[in-house]
Amino acid sequence: MCYTHILVATDLAEDCHPVLERANAIAERFDCMLSFLHVVEPMSVAFGADVPMDLSLLQEQQTEQAREKLEAFTAGFPRITPDHCHLRVGQPKHEIHEMAREQKVDLIVVGSHGRHGLALLLGSTTNDVLSKAPCDVLAVALNKQETEDTE
């Protein structure tokens, strides 16, 4: 199979660099477009809708910090141009699926921490993306070295 447009969706955590590296390698191999997406969850989700204060300033600050981190995170990857770097506010699974449909993406690359127990029961963004993705999804194992070291 030959991919034409890959979407990397990540939370910008330090351990997510392998996700971008893997996607970049695939993009180079197939000479395809590479886009990057980070989704900032609304503050109202974190604090609940009943917070008796205006969260808009905090939301703006959080979004601006994410934008700066996004630029730094993708700086070493010339295949990702500024017009292919996206920052959205919303629920990650919905925004990732929407971006994939809008941009006619044929592969979504995400990281997977391989959580167990309660986190597995409650679900994760990776599981959510996998369940209704409009295209192929590659889940890159994160913290694999730590897992191998403890075995």
Side-chain angles (χ1 to χ4, degrees), residues 34-85:
L34 184 61
S35 293
F36 193 87
L37 172 65
H38 173 66
V39 180
V40 176
E41 291 194 69
M43 297 294 271
S44 60
V45 171
F47 293 108
D50 297 332
V51 175
M53 60 187 270
D54 183 10
L55 298 174
S56 59
L57 182 59
L58 286 174
Q59 186 71 59
E60 282 180 40
Q61 290 173 340
Q62 181 186 28
T63 302
E64 187 53 38
Q65 288 173 350
R67 187 175 317 285
E68 290 169 7
K69 195 169 183 181
L70 179 95
E71 290 171 7
F73 200 82
T74 59
F77 298 89
R79 189 173 280 279
I80 302 176
T81 60
D83 55 327
H84 291 276
C85 250

Side-chain angles (χ1 to χ4, degrees), residues 49-129:
D50 297 332
V51 175
M53 60 187 270
D54 183 10
L55 298 174
S56 59
L57 182 59
L58 286 174
Q59 186 71 59
E60 282 180 40
Q61 290 173 340
Q62 181 186 28
T63 302
E64 187 53 38
Q65 288 173 350
R67 187 175 317 285
E68 290 169 7
K69 195 169 183 181
L70 179 95
E71 290 171 7
F73 200 82
T74 59
F77 298 89
R79 189 173 280 279
I80 302 176
T81 60
D83 55 327
H84 291 276
C85 250
H86 306 278
L87 181 66
R88 291 189 172 191
V89 176
Q91 288 187 318
K93 69 178 179 180
H94 296 300
E95 296 300 327
I96 293 167
H97 289 157
E98 185 64 26
M99 175 69 69
R101 280 189 283 277
E102 287 173 8
Q103 301 288 319
K104 296 181 178 30
V105 166
D106 44 23
L107 176 65
I108 299 170
V109 181
V110 294
S112 176
H113 291 278
R115 288 183 169 81
H116 303 285
L118 186 58
L120 183 62
L121 290 174
L122 295 175
S124 69
T125 299
T126 301
N127 289 334
D128 290 340
V129 171

